[in-house]
Amino acid sequence: MRTLRALVAAALLCLVPVLPAHAADLTYDFEDGTTQGWGPRGGGVSVAVTTDAAHAGTNSLLTTGRTDTWHGASIAPPFVKGVTYRVTAYARLVTGQPASTIALTVQRTPTGGETTYERVAAATVTDGEWVRLAGTYLFTADSTDLQLYAESSDATSQYYLDDIVFSPQGDPTREPITTDFEDGTTQDWSPRAAASLQAGTAAAHGGARSLAVTGRSASWDGPAMNVLGRMGKGDKYALSVWVRLGPDTTAGRLGLSIERRTGGTPSYERIVPPKDVPAGQWVQLAGTYTLAYDVDFLSVYLESDSGAFPFYLDDFAMTYIEPKPIQTDIPALKDEVPFIMGSALTRPDTLGVHGQLLARHFNGITPGNELKWDATEPREGEFAFADGDHLVDFGVEHDMTVRGHTLVWHSQTPAWVFEGADVKEVDKETLLRRLENHVRTLVTRYKDKVAVWDVVNEVIDENQPDGLRRSKWFEIAGLDYIRTAFRVAREADPDAKLFINDYNTEFPRKREALYALVKQLQDEGVPIDGVGHQLHLNIEQPPASYVEDTIERFATLGVDQQVTELDVSIYTDFVSSYPSIPPELLVEQGHRYKALFDVFRRQASKLSSVTVWGESDDVSWLNTWPIPRLNAPLLFDHDLQAKPAYWAVVDPSKLPPLVRKLEAPAGTVKVDGKRDLQWDLLPDAPLPRVGGVSAGFQARSAPGGLYVLAEVTDPTVSSQDKVTFTVDGTMYTVTRAGGPKAAVRRTTTGYRVEALVKKGTEVDVRVHDAGTAISWTGKVTTAPAVKLASAAHRTPVVDGVAEPVWRVAPEIRTATWIQGTSGATARVRSLWSGSTLYVLAQVADPTLSEESPNPWEQDSVEIFVDPGNGKTKGYTDDDGQYRVSFSGHVTVGGTFDAAGVKDNVTAVAKTVPGGYVVEAAIKLPTITLAEGTLLGFDVQVNDATGTAHTGAVTWNDATGRSYLDTSHWGVLRLAD
Ligand code: XIL
């Protein structure tokens, strides 16, 4: 553990000391028989090496002949401005001398100033024993005539000195801080408010002691450590601490935060957002922080998200992270693409290597948070532009096109905007006046600097009948808030390009809802210039072709388009988390970026810029959203080095080849060129488009071989058109005229190939067109058949009673055990009518429990429905997990907020002898149900014993991941 205080003094002077080249300790032990540079100070004083006494070895330095207190032994110390030195020495008086105080003092003359005398260390010294003198020294102004000398309170004292060490402390911003409380002190931690801190042995993560934190007055009250001067501006630090709940505390969430003040104004940032600390366990809070501001106060502290419960902390460490230099031998992204290449940034990103990376690769920027309402107008009429100005100026200085994000949004908008004076909610007129003032102030301020504004952000909700998000803006002002924002922005800066920005615009339903709104606004004469597609995507979803369809669709409205927030998460769900990133995933991500940039380049005439949401993985918002986890969604990695994704954009030939994976479920098809129902159970794996040609591929495994399908889009018929399937080295060629054990049939957009090939795992599919080929290469593995069930076209009464109408529906059973091997099971039937699916589950389960606080650990039935049968890994927004407990309690899962599905279900449950019956009605408003419609579908029965989840069984999905991943659900076909 290092003490802070001496170093903090240096920091208060805003130093960034430079470590001298000779940064080793300087030791004077006089063993070589010389005075090693020491000499007399004062007339008559003599300094000589002696063997009369020694602290170690045989020699020491003897000083005699003193006649004044300031007389003594002296040296010109090799001290450098801005470096802190630890000074230690041993002193002893010559036998018979009376005890006195010996002090080590520095004399120095600052340039243009008066000579100063600064005490470094002092102690009472006797003739009986060697006494240690120790202290630190630092000077910060240019100075001359430095002398370090030993003086004494007794004018004639004769003394020995030995083992004098000057030890440069280096840069305090580079020194690690660790605290382990093993010495029984609180080690630089102090309470933020009323909390009491005590080092003790009640619990320990390492060693025998930790710091007990009790008596907290609020969630933010607890231990804090002053780190002012210990972090350099623009420098990045890793912070880690272990925490454990105090006695009698059963649950709580703890996090690590930082408070910084500039000119006395505090700001708070989270290093590790509060996370669950289960009782009795030590949990690590680890994160990184980059100091981006000049500060006059800087404190690291622990807080809870709510409550003032006691806790322990132990083994805190803060260490400087040396940045890797950015690569300077790789092409600049902006030179390689036919549109503006932008990046989001926040204030720390303008500094150090981050600033260099931005300047090198990007010619566009979007402030990530600094122009949002909460940042720019936290209180009515009180505008704050320091951070916004800083970023906009950074862009202007570097010749970058600046996107202003965002004038109007439902999120990151202060509560006052929607509050009335006396009433809870503001009236429309006042709201629009506030809006007008806000928009006018921002757009006027950045006129000529911000080229493009996201005037409104995320105003679409495709689950509403009119497609409009029910934000406070909309509820109070209808569409007038959008109209006002665009009108005022245009008035304030007629040259700025005005955009509407949204996420998920690549999905057909949202695309159409946004399209309808933009069209309406255009028809009304609202000055809207462009549409921004955020493109927060993941490694699997959605296909690049959706993006292309969206760009082509909006082009028909004649608007400019931009990709505004591109990132590609390595996760397909919102709970998984890798401790380290699997390299093959980064290759896969590279290929995904390639497919996307192929689209952007092809559509470059319709796209004026592509912006990634962050310059490098370390600064991505996806490291904390939707949960804190390691993510890597961007083009440069956590160390700012080029990833496969970067090469995908700049030079795809450098991208390592991708070995894809595909399951071939057991199944047979008729090889006749017709698309059997069997093929429709799963989606085709895409072969991304080159030119006008694209394709989809599937396989089924059967005893006689592998059935393969290629569904080719190729509008022009040519004699060179052919598909080859290579299985474990054996190639099968099918031309438009056919091939062995193969059938070919023309389709409206191209042709379809079916073939029976030999069994194997290494598969390459290649679709040739005149001069070009597209391909799929990967491993094909066998899997159980995809189950298919059928729902009859009838309407039941949802009352928990299996009335006779249910008998027309075929019955399926849950028999695929994913937890345990026996327990509660269900017989399940389905009906449909209108836009509703009905499910009846008759559960055999003699002992029922709802004791667990977690609904998935209670006796319950889960019904999984994917209206598009998309078989995506993660849930898309109309995929739902509908859970009904034996007592009729309903819970719903879906995407992160389950927004698209949470209101779909009504259910009744009734207990019956030996079990219970669940009858559920699930509305499927996103598709039109008809005979032949295929739904992704599964059912799971959870068996609980007391609070324990003792069994789980499904109809089809054997992975145990139905709640995260829709790709292994079975299929339900709607019958007549
Ligand atoms: C994000 C920022 O990146 C985060 O730092 C912040 O905590 C939340 O907002 N869509 C948008 C962006 O339009 O403004 C969001 O930015 C990401 C989603």
Side-chain angles (χ1 to χ4, degrees):
M1 131 87 200
R2 303 192 42 81
T3 78
L4 287 177
R5 292 185 183 90
L7 299 164
V8 167
L12 282 169
L13 298 161
C14 288
L15 300 172
V16 181
V18 181
L19 206 57
H22 61 274
D25 290 1
L26 274 169
T27 304
Y28 305 89
D29 60 7
F30 313 108
E31 295 301 313
D32 63 359
T34 78
T35 63
Q36 297 179 337
W38 291 80
R41 172 184 168 98
V45 176
S46 138
V47 167
V49 176
T50 177
T51 54
D52 294 351
H55 171 251
T58 52
N59 298 352
S60 69
L61 190 73
L62 171 64
T63 303
T64 53
R66 297 175 62 254
T67 52
D68 215 330
T69 53
W70 53 270
H71 284 182
S74 154
I75 193 167
F79 290 171
V80 173
K81 181 181 80 166
V83 177
T84 301
Y85 295 86
R86 182 118 189 113
V87 176
T88 54
Y90 289 85
R92 177 177 178 163
L93 299 185
V94 170
T95 307
Q97 297 284 312
S100 68
T101 301
I102 292 189
L104 298 175
T105 306
V106 172
Q107 172 186 324
R108 146 178 90 80
T109 308
T111 309
E114 305 244 312
T115 298
T116 62
Y117 304 89
E118 293 153 320
R119 178 163 285 194
V120 180
T124 304
V125 181
T126 66
D127 63 355
E129 60 180 349
W130 288 94
V131 172
R132 184 167 182 264
L133 304 175
T136 54
Y137 182 71
L138 161 75
F139 72 99
T140 57
D142 287 325
S143 304
T144 54
D145 302 328
L146 255 73
Q147 272 187 43
L148 185 144
Y149 59 97
E151 56 184 330
S152 169
S153 57
D154 181 327
T156 61
S157 232
Q158 299 172 10
Y159 57 80
Y160 306 105
L161 293 176
D162 200 2
D163 294 336
I164 305 163
V165 181
F166 301 159
S167 162
Q169 296 300 286
D171 179 347
T173 66
R174 300 293 186 267
E175 296 286 316
I177 303 175
T178 58
T179 64
D180 60 10
F181 314 106
E182 294 304 315
D183 66 0
T185 76
T186 62
Q187 295 183 331
D188 291 297
W189 291 91
S190 49
R192 274 193 103 206
S196 98
L197 310 183
Q198 181 88 50
T201 54
H205 171 256
R209 290 187 175 79
S210 68
L211 188 72
V213 183
T214 54
R216 299 166 62 223
S217 58
S219 63
W220 48 264
D221 186 11
M225 182 191 281
N226 177 6
V227 290
L228 184 65
R230 299 308 300 270
M231 290 184 170
K233 184 172 160 189
D235 291 343
K236 185 169 163 181
Y237 295 85
L239 294 102
S240 161
V241 65
W242 292 82
V243 291
R244 184 184 163 129
L245 298 180
D248 306 327
T249 306
T250 51
R253 295 169 72 79
L254 287 166
L256 188 63
S257 303
I258 203 145
E259 178 180 354
R260 60 178 163 83
R261 294 185 203 155
T262 302
T265 307
S267 303
Y268 307 92
E269 290 172 276
R270 289 195 150 152
I271 301 168
V272 185
K275 69 175 186 188
D276 251 340
V277 182
Q281 281 178 36
W282 284 99
V283 169
Q284 187 180 27
L285 307 178
T288 61
Y289 182 74
T290 302
L291 178 63
Y293 304 85
D294 290 315
V295 288
D296 41 44
F297 178 97
L298 193 64
S299 168
V300 171
Y301 64 98
L302 285 105
E303 63 180 329
S304 47
D305 66 345
S306 64
F309 52 86
F311 63 90
Y312 300 101
L313 83 97
D314 203 359
D315 294 333
F316 171 86
M318 181 178 108
T319 36
Y320 169 71
I321 301 174
E322 177 91 45
K324 260 200 195 165
I326 67 161
Q327 292 152 294
T328 51
D329 54 351
I330 57 172
L333 281 171
K334 62 185 175 196
D335 298 338
E336 304 295 316
V337 293
F339 30 71
I340 289 168
M341 185 73 217
S343 171
L345 84 177
T346 62
R347 187 152 179 161
D349 304 341
T350 60
L351 301 167
V353 285
H354 288 93
Q356 293 164 19
L357 192 79
L358 280 175
R360 187 177 170 84
H361 289 285
F362 299 94
N363 51 4
I365 52 159
T366 307
N369 287 312
E370 292 75 356
L371 295 178
K372 290 173 181 171
W373 199 309
D374 58 352
T376 50
E377 195 184 1
R379 282 161 296 280
E380 181 155 23
E382 266 182 48
F383 288 91
F385 289 119
D387 291 342
D389 287 357
H390 179 83
L391 297 184
V392 171
D393 290 346
F394 178 88
V396 171
E397 277 158 28
H398 288 87
D399 255 339
M400 294 162 162
T401 303
V402 183
R403 300 192 82 260
H405 177 80
T406 172
L407 298 172
V408 186
W409 195 19
H410 62 275
S411 179
Q412 291 182 269
T413 302
W416 68 259
V417 176
F418 307 107
E419 282 163 6
D422 322 301
V423 280
K424 235 175 118 204
E425 198 166 86
V426 72
D427 59 280
K428 174 170 173 178
E429 197 189 325
T430 309
L431 181 70
L432 293 183
R433 191 171 35 71
R434 288 172 178 170
L435 172 67
E436 168 149 8
N437 185 45
H438 183 82
V439 171
R440 198 177 294 285
T441 305
L442 267 76
V443 177
T444 304
R445 183 175 188 91
Y446 295 115
K447 195 167 160 8
D448 304 327
K449 291 186 172 179
V450 169
V452 184
W453 280 101
D454 286 331
V455 177
V456 295
N457 193 34
E458 304 183 351
V459 301
I460 297 297
D461 177 355
E462 69 278 31
N463 296 313
Q464 299 297 337
D466 57 7
L468 299 169
R469 180 188 286 273
R470 298 304 187 253
S471 63
K472 289 222 166 114
W473 289 111
F474 182 82
E475 275 164 3
I476 300 169
L479 276 185
D480 282 343
Y481 81 94
I482 300 179
R483 298 181 180 114
T484 303
F486 276 96
R487 172 180 60 79
V488 176
R490 173 63 28 106
E491 285 168 16
D493 183 358
D495 295 329
K497 295 283 169 244
L498 306 183
F499 271 61
I500 183 169
N501 192 47
D502 218 318
Y503 61 95
N504 282 0
T505 61
E506 62 280 11
F507 287 97
R509 286 193 311 120
K510 186 128 182 192
R511 176 199 297 153
E512 290 313 314
L514 178 61
Y515 183 95
L517 175 63
V518 174
K519 173 120 189 35
Q520 181 188 342
L521 295 173
Q522 278 183 327
D523 291 346
E524 289 177 12
V526 173
I528 179 166
D529 300 313
V531 173
H533 309 291
Q534 292 187 4
L535 297 197
H536 292 293
L537 314 181
N538 73 44
I539 192 134
E540 197 217 5
Q541 281 295 312
S545 63
Y546 281 32
V547 176
E548 187 149 29
D549 291 347
T550 286
I551 296 171
E552 285 178 339
R553 178 78 169 130
F554 281 96
T556 65
L557 290 176
V559 283
D560 187 11
Q561 297 183 67
Q562 301 191 337
V563 172
T564 56
E565 304 183 14
L566 176 64
D567 48 24
V568 178
S569 172
I570 60 171
Y571 300 102
T572 54
D573 60 54
F574 48 86
V575 298
S576 304
S577 156
Y578 296 109
S580 63
I581 299 161
E584 64 277 11
L585 218 52
L586 298 180
V587 173
E588 193 180 331
Q589 180 187 54
H591 286 267
R592 185 109 166 88
Y593 265 104
K594 174 172 185 309
L596 290 164
F597 273 78
D598 282 349
V599 169
F600 302 155
R601 288 191 164 103
R602 208 155 39 218
Q603 301 293 341
S605 65
K606 308 179 185 106
L607 273 184
S608 54
S609 85
V610 172
T611 296
V612 284
W613 202 241
E615 57 175 305
S616 48
D617 289 340
D618 59 323
V619 297
S620 168
W621 72 307
L622 295 178
N623 291 302
T624 51
W625 195 92
I627 56 164
R629 60 181 168 187
L630 180 63
N631 210 330
L634 297 164
L635 304 177
F636 295 96
D637 69 13
H638 282 260
D639 289 322
L640 282 63
Q641 309 298 300
K643 295 166 62 184
Y646 163 90
W647 291 111
V649 177
V650 164
D651 181 0
S653 73
K654 294 213 163 61
L655 202 54
L658 178 61
V659 182
R660 298 179 189 273
K661 285 189 196 122
L662 186 75
E663 284 181 357
T668 53
V669 291
K670 207 162 166 213
V671 180
D672 57 2
K674 287 193 206 147
R675 194 173 167 104
D676 291 13
L677 175 58
Q678 176 60 234
W679 291 128
D680 284 336
L681 301 182
L682 298 180
D684 299 346
L687 280 65
R689 177 177 152 189
V690 173
V693 178
S694 61
F697 164 61
Q698 282 200 61
R700 291 292 180 277
S701 54
L706 204 60
Y707 290 97
V708 289
L709 166 79
E711 194 77 60
V712 181
T713 302
D714 179 357
T716 55
V717 182
S718 127
S719 58
Q720 283 150 295
D721 290 344
K722 65 174 180 190
V723 176
T724 59
F725 301 95
T726 308
V727 181
D728 289 344
T730 309
M731 194 197 283
Y732 301 80
T733 302
V734 187
T735 66
R736 286 236 191 197
K741 289 194 187 170
V744 180
R745 195 177 271 255
R746 274 191 84 156
T747 60
T748 50
T749 52
Y751 60 102
R752 176 182 307 117
V753 172
E754 285 181 306
L756 178 63
V757 299
K758 71 167 195 174
K759 277 196 214 175
T761 52
E762 310 293 324
V763 176
D764 178 82
V765 184
R766 222 155 266 266
V767 176
H768 300 260
D769 183 39
T772 55
I774 55 175
S775 65
W776 186 102
T777 307
K779 276 197 189 335
V780 173
T781 50
T782 59
V786 181
K787 292 199 178 100
L788 174 66
S790 145
H793 196 181
R794 293 292 153 81
T795 313
V797 180
V798 179
D799 55 3
V801 175
E803 71 265 32
V805 66
W806 282 105
R807 273 184 232 141
V808 300
E811 185 179 277
I812 57 175
R813 284 165 189 260
T814 60
T816 306
W817 289 95
I818 56 170
Q819 189 188 332
T821 50
S822 66
T825 56
R827 295 176 289 128
V828 180
R829 295 170 192 260
S830 316
L831 298 172
W832 69 280
S833 69
S835 60
T836 305
L837 174 72
Y838 300 92
V839 178
L840 173 78
Q842 294 173 282
V843 184
D845 186 354
T847 54
L848 300 176
S849 167
E850 264 177 346
E851 277 172 47
S852 169
N854 300 322
W856 61 90
E857 294 172 336
Q858 301 170 352
D859 279 309
S860 55
V861 171
E862 296 178 16
I863 302 158
F864 298 90
V865 186
D866 169 4
N869 191 32
K871 295 282 182 280
T872 53
K873 282 202 191 109
Y875 281 54
T876 51
D877 71 343
D878 58 358
D879 299 340
Q881 172 195 27
Y882 305 96
R883 184 187 300 105
V884 187
S885 77
F886 70 87
S887 71
H889 180 63
V890 173
T891 41
V892 179
T895 54
F896 182 58
D897 52 8
V901 295
K902 61 183 185 329
D903 300 325
N904 283 354
V905 61
T906 49
V908 177
K910 282 216 164 110
T911 51
V912 294
Y916 61 101
V917 175
V918 166
E919 200 173 14
I922 298 165
K923 279 185 289 173
L924 302 174
T926 60
I927 55 166
T928 305
L929 302 189
E931 195 229 324
T933 298
L934 300 183
L935 305 174
F937 181 79
D938 219 314
V939 177
Q940 176 175 330
V941 180
N942 295 312
D943 197 1
T945 308
T947 57
H949 192 218
T950 47
V953 62
T954 69
W955 169 53
N956 187 73
D957 189 343
T959 66
R961 291 173 47 85
S962 302
Y963 68 109
L964 294 175
D965 179 338
T966 76
S967 66
H968 291 87
W969 299 354
V971 177
L972 186 66
R973 183 177 183 281
L974 306 190
D976 200 5

